[in-house]
Amino acid sequence: MLSRNAHKSVIAGVIINGVEPIWVHPKFDAERHMAHPPEPDDVRDRLREHPDAKGMLLITPTELGSCADIRGVADVCHAADVPLIVDEAWGAHLPFHPGLPSWGMDADADLVVTSVHKMGGAIEQSSVFHLQHDRVSVDVLKQREDLLGTTSASSLVYAALDGWRRQMAEQGHGLLDTALRRAERLRAALDELPGLAVMGDEIVREGLAAEFDPLKIVVDVRDLGITGMQAAEWLRAERHVDVGGSDSCRISASITHSDDDETEKILLEALRSLVDGADSIERQRPVRLPEPRALELEQAVLPRAAFFGPAEQVPAEQAVGRISAETISPYPPGVPVVAPGEVITEEVVDYLRSGIEHGFLVSDAADPSLETFRVLTRP
Ligand SMILES: Cc1ncc(COP(=O)(O)O)c(C=O)c1O
């Protein structure tokens, strides 16, 4: 069972029933135009509808720091006798400070997958599994890993992981304590700046997030009259500051154990000058953001069958009503809007094409310009 996070398009959870992925939709936050992970009741409902489901895959935290009630979801899964797998790509730091949201292993998940290179300190491709209980067989997991993993293990990766583990075991609490105070100070300073809305604990409420990662500095820039992509581009060009992410509404940055007073100051000063310089940034027609419901496309064919099925490229206007044979994930934020097997709608074509005008990159589509779409040939 998977559920989709960000714009439907971010997958926040999926129930796997052996063949067909069953989506558990995220909590869509219309005010912020972002998605939060699904809640235990959403998972319970889907498991009741699909008693043959084999497991649940939950994505938490999201890239923007919105966290699920992992323990609640784990209880629901275990009551149905299925394992909970957590994609905790953004949570490498969570085990090492009580002021951070809970991490999957503490919250009774069966399997947790973490990208240490994201919020931790390791070189790229340093992802790890954590396994507990006996719902997922260690032999099966190892076999699958052997199938997908490289046969040329990198000692750099292992050394970086070992170094990180040791650093966190010995100094993690202190380092993260400093990072948490830094993030709090930064959030308070940014709150003072006109035109910026800094996300915080207000998202922690029923129907939205269960917890929030305070090390995520998520800043909505719409009141400056620009998009997050424009803000990110301006910061890069004018201040040589690369933020971690951006989308049509906001930019995001992460404070980590490796930040210091200098990096804190650079970020704050850069955002101050963005506020001062925003009037000089060219106004664009806004991206035509679809209603959340419009992002829940009908799955007409299983993803695998559509991906490997007979396909053709058709002009965008003729793609409406056709079944996609590809994944389309505009970056930013890098979340699939269309999955293989889904029926393409006019709203989605409109959204994607207006996003391209604003600089969306769609590297996974066969035609990244989206002038044409890859669809299944008609039978
Ligand atoms: C939720 C989520 N899961 C998995 C990944 C991929 O992780 P990795 O870099 O370890 O391949 C990403 C990458 O951004 C992600 O956001």
Side-chain angles (χ1 to χ4, degrees):
M1 174 140 125
L2 309 177
S3 66
R4 299 185 152 191
N5 123 27
H7 311 237
K8 114 163 174 173
S9 325
V10 176
I11 297 162
V14 174
I15 299 177
I16 305 142
N17 71 356
V19 193
E20 179 191 6
I22 298 151
W23 303 102
V24 185
H25 290 290
K27 300 299 194 191
F28 202 86
D29 181 339
E31 184 189 334
R32 298 171 187 83
H33 211 273
M34 62 183 279
H36 305 279
E39 294 180 324
D41 282 348
D42 304 315
V43 178
R44 183 181 292 108
D45 290 348
R46 293 301 263 164
L47 282 169
R48 279 198 184 128
E49 288 161 21
H50 296 276
D52 56 341
K54 296 284 187 289
M56 166 75 192
L57 170 59
L58 177 72
I59 297 180
T60 181
T62 68
E63 195 180 340
L64 297 177
S66 174
C67 302
D69 170 4
I70 307 177
R71 183 170 293 279
V73 174
D75 287 348
V76 166
C77 290
H78 297 163
D81 202 22
V82 297
L84 171 64
I85 303 167
V86 177
D87 175 343
E88 210 165 77
W90 290 98
H93 56 315
L94 300 183
F96 303 108
H97 197 287
L100 291 166
S102 37
W103 78 295
M105 285 286 104
D106 274 355
D108 216 21
D110 296 276
L111 180 62
V112 172
V113 189
T114 307
S115 307
V116 180
H117 47 277
K118 288 191 166 64
M119 293 298 286
I123 60 169
E124 302 299 306
Q125 302 183 18
S126 301
S127 295
V128 295
F129 296 121
H130 303 273
L131 179 66
Q132 64 183 352
H133 307 315
D134 56 6
R135 293 181 192 87
V136 176
S137 147
V138 67
D139 297 331
V140 170
L141 183 65
K142 183 170 181 324
Q143 212 184 23
R144 301 295 190 273
E145 198 279 326
D146 278 347
L147 188 69
L148 299 170
T150 176
T151 52
S152 314
S154 158
S155 43
L156 278 180
V157 166
Y158 290 144
L161 283 170
D162 254 2
W164 154 258
R165 193 167 52 176
R166 178 170 184 165
Q167 188 183 26
M168 282 299 109
E170 291 181 349
Q171 307 158 29
H173 187 277
L175 288 169
L176 288 166
D177 220 44
T178 307
L180 282 164
R181 280 203 303 275
R182 194 178 299 292
E184 197 180 316
R185 205 162 48 231
L186 196 51
R187 196 172 273 110
L190 293 175
D191 256 338
E192 301 292 313
L193 298 181
L196 302 185
V198 192
M199 197 164 91
D201 270 345
E202 70 283 353
I203 64 162
V204 179
R205 60 185 167 87
E206 206 181 325
L208 300 180
E211 292 184 274
F212 173 61
D213 179 354
L215 294 184
K216 288 286 176 176
I217 307 292
V218 179
V219 185
D220 195 316
V221 296
R222 283 177 290 178
D223 282 352
L224 294 177
I226 57 173
T227 65
M229 280 103 76
Q230 285 180 294
E233 198 46 52
W234 189 93
L235 290 166
R236 180 181 302 125
E238 303 294 328
R239 289 293 174 273
H240 305 293
V241 168
D242 262 316
V243 289
S246 64
D247 61 26
S248 38
C249 306
R250 76 206 107 234
I251 54 169
S252 67
S254 303
I255 296 297
T256 73
H257 63 289
S258 61
D259 278 297
D260 58 18
D261 291 350
E262 187 59 23
T263 60
E264 178 185 338
K265 187 166 157 228
I266 289 172
L267 182 58
L268 182 56
E269 290 305 318
L271 286 168
R272 271 205 187 110
S273 47
L274 173 71
V275 169
D276 294 341
D279 282 347
S280 67
I281 301 176
E282 184 199 337
R283 287 327 187 232
Q284 291 181 332
R285 273 192 299 140
V287 179
R288 292 190 288 280
L289 295 172
E291 287 299 309
R293 281 249 148 243
L295 289 165
E296 292 176 14
L297 303 184
E298 179 199 342
Q299 182 90 42
V301 172
L302 292 179
R304 184 185 172 83
F307 189 81
F308 291 109
E312 59 179 330
Q313 292 293 133
V314 296
E317 48 293 353
Q318 290 172 27
V320 173
R322 302 288 299 270
I323 299 169
S324 179
E326 63 185 351
T327 308
I328 305 178
S329 318
Y331 185 91
V335 167
V337 168
V338 179
E342 291 186 330
V343 180
I344 299 168
T345 61
E346 193 171 339
E347 287 103 314
V348 156
V349 171
D350 218 34
Y351 164 52
L352 289 169
R353 291 186 45 97
S354 79
I356 293 264
E357 288 167 25
H358 285 75
F360 275 4
L361 296 174
V362 190
S363 58
D364 52 0
D367 172 6
S369 74
L370 292 188
E371 279 170 21
T372 62
F373 285 64
R374 184 174 170 81
V375 296
L376 283 185
T377 51
R378 291 193 205 275

